[in-house]
Amino acid sequence: MTVMFNVRSVVWALVIVSLMLLPLYSSVSGNIFILTLFTRIVIFALAAVSLNLIMGYGGMMSFGHAAYLGIGGYAVGILAYEGIGSGFIQWPVALLASALFALVIGALSLRTRGVYFIMITLAFAQMAYYIASGMARYGGDDGLTIYKRSDFGGLINLSDRTQFYYVCLACLFGGIYLVWRIVNSRFGLVVQGVRSNEQRMEAIGFHANRYRLVCFVISGMMCGLAGALLATNTDFVSPSIMYWTRSGDLMVMVILGGIGSLFGPVIGTILFLVLEESLSQVTEFSGIIIGPLLLLIVLFARGGIDGWLGRLRRG
Amino acid sequence: MADPLLSVKNLSRRFGGIVATDDLSLDVVRGELHAIIGPNGAGKTTLISQLTGQLQPNSGSIHFAGRDVTRLPAYRRSALGLARSFQITSLLKDFTAIDNVALAAQAHDGHSFRFWGNARKELHLRKAAMAAMERVGLGQRAESIVSELSHGEQRELELAVALASKPQMLVLDEPMAGLGVTESARMVKLLRELRREVTIVLVEHDMDAVFALADRITVLVYGRVIACDVPAAIRQNPEVRRAYLGDQQVVTHHG
């Protein structure tokens, strides 16, 4: 029952409540910028949560996760460009395309382990990047502007800043809830067991890669959703959304916040993007601060910020 | 010999120039405790890794319960009722003891593509796991993290994991490796009870244990079977004595 009273849960409650009340603060104070920033943060947090599912719980170090951001984003962008504006088509297509991509990439790269897995996922993501750069019809390198946001037939209006923010937040909370259910389910225990000792899991009767692959696909779909949100947020999608440094950013967010922790990636994302944003006003080399910070976390606070909070008892 | 549960024919496995399993044939009858002994490097672990599917043979065949399993992966053999323990303890170290065992029970309780319900609240899995834990005397340690268990307890947990899958055959790779005298005695007592319920293939260096437990003993030297008989006959076998038992070569535990 100590869980109820430790610093970590207090921080979590604060973060959740702040995220929920943010639009209120934004409209009262007239600070629109903070709502824009946090919409972006919430979207990236969803991507980080999805990466954490395979990286933290599944032990799969994917270095190509940004590819799904691109696939989700381009699915929405291309459909909009081709005149299919309904969100009821755009978004399922985004999810489906991400799932399909994850299925193919996963089936191939899960034959490898360790460094090879990192390299092969990176290679596939870069392939996706160059394919997007080559799509002349959809802007190539310059990207594709989305002139009209997905139409959900009056159900929700994505063009309304506040509504869109809450849609993103609902997706994030939904994603976290899904991950929570999954990691405690039969499926989740198997996936974590495989991370811990694959040989043992095979010996007691589990076909490890089948479970890994399904986990990989679920994670890809979640990240594809984040991609659709991200493209909607900027009304624009370009190949740079899936450049390899972006995959690296996602990994940093997860590791900062706490790999294999349910909420960790959210706080990692907040820290990363807020730092990036505020440092960008001082220097264009935000990595000078974020890099050493990551180093400190990895060296001294295993389990990231969330792990560190968990060790701070209040009394 | 009627109805061998496990039948190995002309099995060979090479690692580069080294022949680790050399044209090996072996039958294990249902209900017996069949021990496999041999000096260090005789290829015992290589053999049982091929039996349970962690390693593929270069040639030869393995039949289990009347089925050719030579090319089946480990997880399929486990589903057929072939369970193993590892010489070097191989558990999910960051899981609780009971989670380790419950996962083995879960593996044999339909598929595990269930994403929603809390698996730790599935009573029949927990009960099956608890029963296996109590069987090996670990009932009190169910909620401990594996890495916090003593070496002896981890060895017992290995056994509980294997038991939880309700196997037809247990393949045990040196269950007594690294155990103290009292722990060894407990393990022998446990195996003596288990052999009444399940066919056991036992690889072990502890000769006292082997001769106390085994119905039949197969002696391996350089990957070949040099003798296969009841313990009394093995004791008398001159070739075995020369290769293994007689001269006081190191008959201790290894790695």
Side-chain angles (χ1 to χ4, degrees):
Chain A
M1 282 290 99
T2 48
V3 185
M4 305 291 292
F5 302 106
N6 65 25
V7 178
R8 184 204 239 161
S9 357
V10 173
V11 170
W12 282 121
L14 279 176
V15 169
I16 291 169
V17 171
S18 312
L19 284 176
M20 283 167 63
L21 295 181
L22 193 93
L24 200 67
Y25 168 78
S26 168
S27 69
V28 168
S29 67
N31 185 346
I32 290 171
F33 169 74
I34 196 164
L35 188 62
T36 318
L37 173 65
F38 268 83
T39 307
R40 198 174 129 80
I41 286 176
V42 166
I43 294 169
F44 271 104
L46 176 62
V49 164
S50 78
L51 177 60
N52 185 41
L53 175 63
I54 54 171
M55 203 163 96
Y57 296 103
M60 293 172 265
M61 294 290 160
S62 165
F63 200 172
H65 219 58
Y68 305 101
L69 287 177
I71 288 163
Y74 268 102
V76 169
I78 289 174
L79 286 176
Y81 181 83
E82 299 294 351
I84 302 167
S86 167
F88 295 113
I89 297 175
Q90 287 181 354
W91 291 44
V93 167
L95 290 179
L96 215 67
S98 315
L100 214 65
F101 185 76
L103 192 69
V104 175
I105 302 315
L108 293 170
S109 40
L110 284 171
R111 294 161 181 270
T112 63
R113 295 285 178 269
V115 177
Y116 300 101
F117 183 79
I118 296 177
M119 287 297 136
I120 200 166
T121 48
L122 171 63
F124 278 121
Q126 284 301 90
M127 268 165 60
Y129 169 82
Y130 285 112
I131 288 170
S133 303
M135 293 192 301
R137 180 176 170 82
Y138 303 115
D141 265 333
D142 298 329
L144 180 64
T145 302
I146 300 169
Y147 291 103
K148 199 170 170 304
R149 289 189 177 183
S150 314
D151 173 23
F152 279 95
L155 199 66
I156 27 172
N157 177 12
L158 295 188
S159 301
D160 180 283
R161 251 193 215 98
T162 309
Q163 281 194 37
F164 181 65
Y165 174 82
Y166 278 119
V167 167
C168 295
L169 196 62
C171 289
L172 173 62
F173 288 167
I176 293 172
Y177 181 67
L178 181 72
V179 169
W180 179 65
R181 293 304 296 230
I182 286 178
V183 299
N184 288 304
S185 71
R186 280 189 173 207
F187 174 79
L189 288 190
V190 174
V191 165
Q192 291 166 84
V194 171
R195 176 201 62 198
S196 177
N197 190 338
E198 182 178 354
Q199 188 189 42
R200 158 56 74 192
M201 292 300 280
E202 293 265 346
I204 62 176
F206 290 108
H207 188 186
N209 265 0
R210 204 175 288 164
Y211 292 91
R212 270 211 183 96
L213 181 58
V214 172
C215 186
F216 196 77
V217 170
I218 295 172
S219 163
M221 284 173 80
M222 267 171 78
C223 196
L225 177 62
L229 293 171
L230 195 61
T232 307
N233 186 39
T234 47
D235 298 308
F236 176 72
V237 56
S238 79
S240 69
I241 196 177
M242 47 182 150
Y243 196 55
W244 67 275
T245 54
R246 181 84 72 186
S247 297
D249 289 348
L250 288 176
M251 281 180 121
V252 171
M253 291 170 190
V254 172
I255 295 167
L256 273 182
I259 186 165
S261 115
L262 201 55
F263 287 100
V266 179
I267 217 169
T269 309
I270 295 175
L271 186 70
F272 184 93
L273 289 178
V274 167
L275 265 179
E276 194 184 64
E277 191 59 45
S278 35
L279 290 173
S280 73
Q281 285 150 24
V282 190
T283 163
E284 41 181 314
F285 306 108
S286 58
I288 280 179
I289 305 293
I290 293 175
L293 184 69
L294 182 68
L295 214 60
L296 287 175
I297 296 263
V298 170
L299 286 176
F300 299 110
R302 289 197 62 196
I305 295 166
D306 193 54
W308 174 68
L309 287 175
R311 286 190 288 273
L312 292 176
R313 302 261 180 237
R314 210 202 241 155
Chain B
M1 196 179 307
D3 182 27
L5 181 55
L6 179 78
S7 176
V8 179
K9 290 209 166 46
N10 309 106
L11 204 67
S12 288
R13 169 75 208 201
R14 290 174 297 277
F15 293 105
I18 297 162
V19 184
T21 307
D22 188 0
D23 196 27
L24 184 149
S25 297
L26 175 74
D27 279 335
V28 178
V29 188
R30 210 178 278 273
E32 76 172 339
L33 191 152
H34 195 120
I36 297 173
I37 63 171
N40 285 343
K44 302 182 295 290
T45 296
T46 306
L47 171 61
I48 65 175
S49 290
Q50 292 171 84
L51 297 185
T52 51
Q54 277 81 28
L55 199 64
Q56 290 287 323
N58 294 121
S59 61
S61 72
I62 302 165
H63 283 77
F64 177 70
R67 243 185 104 164
D68 186 353
V69 299
T70 317
R71 300 288 156 199
L72 285 192
Y75 71 93
R76 295 277 304 278
R77 296 188 204 192
S78 168
L80 292 174
L82 189 56
R84 85 170 281 187
S85 78
F86 290 87
Q87 177 187 356
I88 297 159
T89 307
S90 175
L91 295 159
L92 312 175
K93 297 232 180 223
D94 45 348
F95 282 52
T96 61
I98 190 149
D99 277 353
N100 269 267
V101 187
L103 267 168
Q106 182 185 318
H108 296 265
D109 182 60
H111 66 82
S112 283
F113 289 104
R114 298 193 201 168
F115 303 92
W116 212 245
N118 189 328
R120 291 192 181 88
K121 291 188 176 147
E122 288 193 49
L123 232 62
H124 67 289
L125 293 181
R126 292 280 124 174
K127 272 188 185 150
M130 205 57 205
M133 301 270 302
E134 270 159 9
R135 194 79 187 74
V136 301
L138 276 179
Q140 303 297 317
R141 305 289 272 152
E143 297 300 331
S144 308
I145 304 288
V146 169
S147 54
E148 292 164 0
L149 296 179
S150 74
H151 177 71
E153 287 171 327
Q154 292 192 15
R155 302 303 301 170
E156 289 165 349
L157 186 60
E158 277 266 343
L159 207 54
V161 170
L163 282 176
S165 62
K166 299 220 183 330
Q168 295 194 57
M169 174 181 275
L170 268 180
V171 180
L172 304 177
D173 194 358
E174 297 198 29
M176 276 154 248
L179 292 190
V181 182
T182 39
E183 290 172 322
S184 283
R186 262 173 64 191
M187 187 62 85
V188 170
K189 182 166 167 286
L190 185 58
L191 292 180
R192 190 167 278 148
E193 290 164 18
L194 286 178
R195 55 171 299 184
R196 287 199 287 265
E197 301 160 24
V198 55
T199 311
I200 297 178
V201 172
L202 172 70
V203 169
E204 188 47 66
H205 265 290
D206 185 330
M207 286 306 123
D208 294 336
V210 166
F211 280 92
L213 288 167
D215 296 304
R216 283 195 304 150
I217 299 177
T218 292
V219 186
L220 284 191
V221 175
Y222 297 123
R224 285 201 321 274
V225 176
I226 64 163
C228 176
D229 216 325
V230 294
I234 290 291
R235 228 188 276 270
Q236 303 305 324
N237 186 316
E239 205 179 344
V240 174
R241 294 181 75 96
R242 196 169 338 114
Y244 192 14
L245 289 171
D247 7 71
Q248 282 309 309
Q249 278 183 0
V250 226
V251 188
T252 48
H253 309 296
H254 69 88

